[in-house]
């Protein structure tokens, strides 16, 4: 079948069918308005493809996630985060020479301009690190203004290298500790942990168990096709806004409680249940009550109608990490019980509500000593290469047009102005 037929006002319109490499089907409506004056209507884009893409494949029914064809499970077991960044950006896993050069570039650009340090003096102590991250990433565009669009490849390296420094500086600022500079002899995860937890007065040794847990978290968050924040990055970039400000917009979208902000709210929810005598059944019943406005944070997904493969990996990793670190976190036990009961409950089963990536990630961040307010920043660190790869793909599209959806107007019809004295 290579076309769909639409009958409007007695006329039959042939609409081409697009078939993806995994046999996904789409109806191409690009000629709908020019030929019929009709538009489609799909308010949260649940049935709308905004682009064709070679980067990430998700099969929500079967719980499949692949970056450039590689299953997430294999990348989680075998790859470094820097390899995954390279894969998402350039489409292939790097060989040794490509990896070494790329890793050197990322390391070389980790420092931020000394003038940017003054930004951190201006934020209040209790500033949410996501607000700090979004504004400082946007400000990177003021430090590289002249050729902000001319040096796209260099700016990609810059933002990948500098965002972990900005994130760590935001954390240090929030606890009133001195900023710790990056060390060029450390790997990506080790450098971040060092900037986060080292203090000038003491020798800091990186715990390889922590670095390994961070590697896994970053890889699992690296891309997820056209989610809310990635679509935002594409939308902003489609106007030819520069990469820095496009990514800052994506950070803003990710902050929302229904998106990347959920990982912070999962832990807050688990803490609330724990302080309420571990009465998780009460909160499951609350989530089922339409009038409660309470959602089980970390559950449900627009695409996955089966287990989020990332949640499966994180659940296993949380267990192993806490055992390795000798941590008995009551919140993990509550999360596991919550999952068990919810997955048997008709309300959740009928709506295909399974744990998503945010449900277990917070347990691991906690074990790493990362404060709750930094959880979504960690999500942003992981997602950064995906945002950039999608932004690049949008910019290099055959006909890179500005994103501009239409609407159905339901407001007042034409009426004449009424002077104030007559109102
Ligand atoms: C991420 O898109 C991505 O790929 C995102 C992400 C990524 O990697 O980029 O995977 C990361 O954002 C994961 C999602 C994190 N958010 C949360 O955990 C917040 C809680 N989840 C929900 O808000 C919700 O499930 C969403 C936002 C994730 C999905 O929302 P949808 O697709 O719009 O689904 P919906 O709100 O229309 O829900 C369908 C039904 C509704 O009930 P009915 O009206 O049919 O009776 O399921 C119910 C909802 O009330 N429901 C929930 C629920 N999630 C959906 N009920 C209780 N608890 C929940 N968590």
């Amino acid at each position: 079948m290579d076309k769909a037929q639409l009958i409007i006002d007695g006329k039959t319109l042939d609409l081409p069918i697009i078939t993806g490499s995994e046999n996904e089907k789409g109806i191409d409506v690009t000629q709908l308005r020019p030929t019929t004056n009709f538009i489609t209507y799909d308010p949260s884009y649940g049935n709308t493809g905004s682009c064709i893409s070679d980067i990430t494949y998700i099969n929500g029914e079967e719980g499949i996630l692949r970056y450039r064809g590689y299953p997430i499970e294999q990348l989680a077991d075998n790859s470094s985060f820097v390899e995954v960044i390279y894969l998402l950006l350039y489409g292939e896993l790097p060989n040794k020479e490509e990896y070494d050069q790329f890793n050197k570039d990322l390391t070389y650009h980790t420092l931020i301009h000394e003038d940017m340090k003054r930004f951190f003096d201006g934020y209040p102590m209790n500033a949410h690190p996501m607000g700090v991250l979004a504004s400082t990433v946007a400000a990177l565009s003021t430090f590289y203004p002249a050729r902000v669009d001319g040096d796209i490849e260099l700016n990609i390296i810059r933002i990948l290298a500098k965002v972990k420094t900005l994130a760590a500086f935001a954390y240090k600022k929030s606890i009133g500790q001195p900023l710790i500079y990056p060390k060029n002899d450390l790997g990506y995860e080790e450098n971040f942990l060092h900037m986060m937890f080292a203090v000038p007065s003491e020798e800091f040794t990186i715990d390889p168990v922590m670095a390994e847990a961070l590697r896994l978290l970053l890889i699992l968050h690296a891309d997820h096709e056209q989610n809310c924040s990635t679509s935002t990055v594409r939308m902003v970039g489609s106007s030819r806004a520069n990469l820095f400000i496009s990514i800052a917009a994506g950070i803003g979208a990710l902050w929302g409680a229904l998106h990347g902000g959920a990982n912070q709210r999962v832990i807050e929810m688990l803490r609330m249940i724990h302080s309420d005598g571990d009465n998780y059944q009460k909160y499951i019943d609350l989530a089922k009550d339409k009038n409660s406005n309470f959602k089980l944070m970390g559950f449900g997904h627009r695409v996955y109608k089966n287990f989020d493969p990332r949640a499966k990996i994180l659940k296993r990793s949380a267990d192993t990490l806490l055992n390795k670190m000798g941590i008995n976190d009551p919140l993990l036990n509550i999360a596991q019980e919550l999952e068990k009961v919810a997955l048997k409950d008709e309300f959740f089963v009928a709506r295909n509500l399974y744990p998503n990536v945010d449900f277990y990630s917070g347990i691991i961040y906690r074990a790493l000593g990362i404060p709750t307010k930094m959880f979504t920043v960690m999500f942003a660190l992981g997602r950064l290469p995906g945002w950039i790869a999608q932004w690049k793909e949008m910019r290099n599209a055959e006909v890179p047009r500005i994103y501009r959806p239409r609407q159905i107007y339901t407001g007042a019809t034409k009426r004449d102005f009424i002077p104030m004295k007559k109102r």
Side-chain angles (χ1 to χ4, degrees):
M1 175 182 66
D2 59 359
K3 67 182 179 196
Q5 291 197 315
L6 193 59
I7 299 169
I8 298 182
D9 296 342
K11 273 192 289 182
T12 302
L13 181 69
D14 288 347
L15 295 170
I17 299 277
I18 302 178
T19 303
S21 53
E22 292 288 346
N23 212 23
E24 291 170 306
K25 303 282 181 195
I27 300 172
D28 178 346
V29 293
T30 46
Q31 292 312 308
L32 180 64
R33 193 168 189 287
T35 53
T36 67
N37 220 23
F38 277 66
I39 62 168
T40 58
Y41 174 65
D42 186 19
S44 60
Y45 305 129
N47 305 282
T48 295
S50 64
C51 60
I52 52 178
S53 176
D54 300 343
I55 300 171
T56 291
Y57 171 65
I58 300 176
N59 180 316
E61 285 66 36
E62 294 172 34
I64 293 173
L65 170 58
R66 299 187 197 129
Y67 298 158
R68 301 284 191 179
Y70 293 99
I72 192 67
E73 295 79 4
Q74 293 183 25
L75 292 169
D77 286 345
N78 304 297
S79 174
S80 69
F81 181 50
V82 171
E83 281 175 289
V84 165
I85 298 175
Y86 189 98
L87 172 67
L88 288 170
L89 286 179
Y90 306 115
E92 298 298 336
L93 287 166
N95 61 34
K96 180 82 176 58
E97 191 191 335
E98 290 160 338
Y99 174 84
D100 289 346
Q101 182 56 53
F102 187 62
N103 196 45
K104 187 163 150 280
D105 292 343
L106 288 185
T107 307
Y108 179 76
H109 288 275
T110 305
L111 264 180
I112 60 172
H113 193 292
E114 275 297 293
D115 287 354
M116 277 204 92
K117 275 176 38 183
R118 292 208 301 269
F119 282 59
F120 294 90
D121 298 336
Y123 294 107
M125 271 290 277
N126 61 352
H128 196 291
M130 279 298 274
V132 175
L133 189 69
S135 46
T136 50
V137 167
L140 285 174
S141 61
T142 65
F143 284 83
Y144 308 101
R147 308 182 304 277
V148 79
D149 251 359
D151 288 338
I152 287 190
E153 287 306 322
L154 176 54
N155 285 334
I156 286 174
I157 293 291
R158 281 176 174 143
I159 199 167
L160 282 166
K162 296 178 193 308
V163 169
K164 66 177 176 299
T165 307
L166 293 170
F169 281 15
Y171 169 63
K172 283 300 197 189
K173 162 71 195 176
S174 74
I175 56 173
Q177 281 190 4
L179 306 180
I180 298 292
Y181 278 57
K183 286 177 72 177
N184 284 358
D185 59 344
L186 294 177
Y188 187 99
E189 296 86 352
E190 292 78 3
N191 217 346
F192 177 71
L193 291 171
H194 172 259
M195 289 190 280
M196 281 282 287
F197 299 119
V199 285
S201 48
E202 287 161 25
E203 194 47 41
F204 179 76
T205 46
I206 312 265
D207 179 344
V209 172
M210 289 176 68
E212 162 53 23
L214 187 54
R215 175 199 68 86
L216 179 66
L217 282 160
L218 292 169
I219 288 175
L220 293 177
H221 286 84
D223 193 49
H224 215 240
E225 54 128 287
Q226 306 313 315
N227 58 84
C228 177
S229 54
T230 300
S231 299
T232 302
V233 169
R234 279 179 169 258
M235 171 72 83
V236 172
S238 76
S239 73
R240 295 300 172 273
N242 67 67
L243 175 65
F244 301 113
I245 207 73
S246 303
I247 297 299
I251 294 170
L254 186 73
W255 198 358
L258 297 188
H259 192 11
N263 57 17
Q264 172 177 340
R265 282 161 186 79
V266 167
I267 291 299
E268 289 163 357
M269 174 186 75
L270 294 175
R271 273 208 200 106
M272 180 169 64
I273 295 173
H274 188 45
S275 59
D276 195 356
D278 290 5
N279 183 357
Y280 44 79
Q281 189 57 51
K282 169 181 163 187
Y283 291 88
I284 286 179
D285 296 340
L286 215 50
K288 291 157 61 177
D289 170 5
K290 280 276 154 247
N291 307 317
S292 74
N293 230 356
F294 176 80
K295 284 187 184 294
L296 217 47
M297 298 314 276
F299 260 76
H301 200 277
R302 174 63 58 80
V303 176
Y304 289 122
K305 297 310 167 194
N306 191 323
F307 235 94
D308 181 335
R310 302 166 298 177
K312 257 191 202 161
I313 297 170
L314 286 171
K315 178 180 178 182
R316 236 188 358 259
S317 159
D319 239 355
T320 319
L321 179 72
L322 268 61
N323 288 335
K324 262 191 202 161
M325 296 178 81
I327 298 172
N328 177 21
D329 185 349
L331 302 191
L332 176 60
N333 308 332
I334 297 172
Q336 290 168 331
E337 285 309 309
L338 205 52
E339 176 195 337
K340 239 185 263 168
V341 176
L343 295 190
K344 289 196 203 92
D345 185 298
E346 181 44 32
F347 177 90
F348 291 85
V349 173
R351 292 164 179 80
N352 296 309
L353 300 178
Y354 291 88
N356 59 51
V357 68
D358 291 313
F359 191 60
Y360 285 104
S361 54
I363 301 283
I364 300 176
Y365 290 135
R366 263 162 65 89
L368 299 181
I370 292 170
T372 311
K373 276 173 77 172
M374 279 288 288
F375 286 8
T376 311
V377 169
M378 301 307 295
F379 194 141
L381 269 190
R383 186 53 51 88
L384 183 59
W387 284 335
I388 297 169
Q390 299 273 351
W391 185 90
K392 255 185 94 175
E393 186 176 70
M394 174 275 303
R395 276 292 181 85
N396 297 332
E398 262 154 64
V399 185
R401 299 180 74 202
I402 190 167
Y403 282 23
R404 203 272 184 224
R406 306 299 294 253
Q407 64 162 25
I408 296 291
Y409 176 70
T410 55
T413 52
K414 185 177 179 302
R415 51 186 174 162
D416 296 326
F417 183 77
I418 305 163
M420 180 79 85
K421 59 181 184 298
K422 288 192 176 167
R423 283 178 217 156

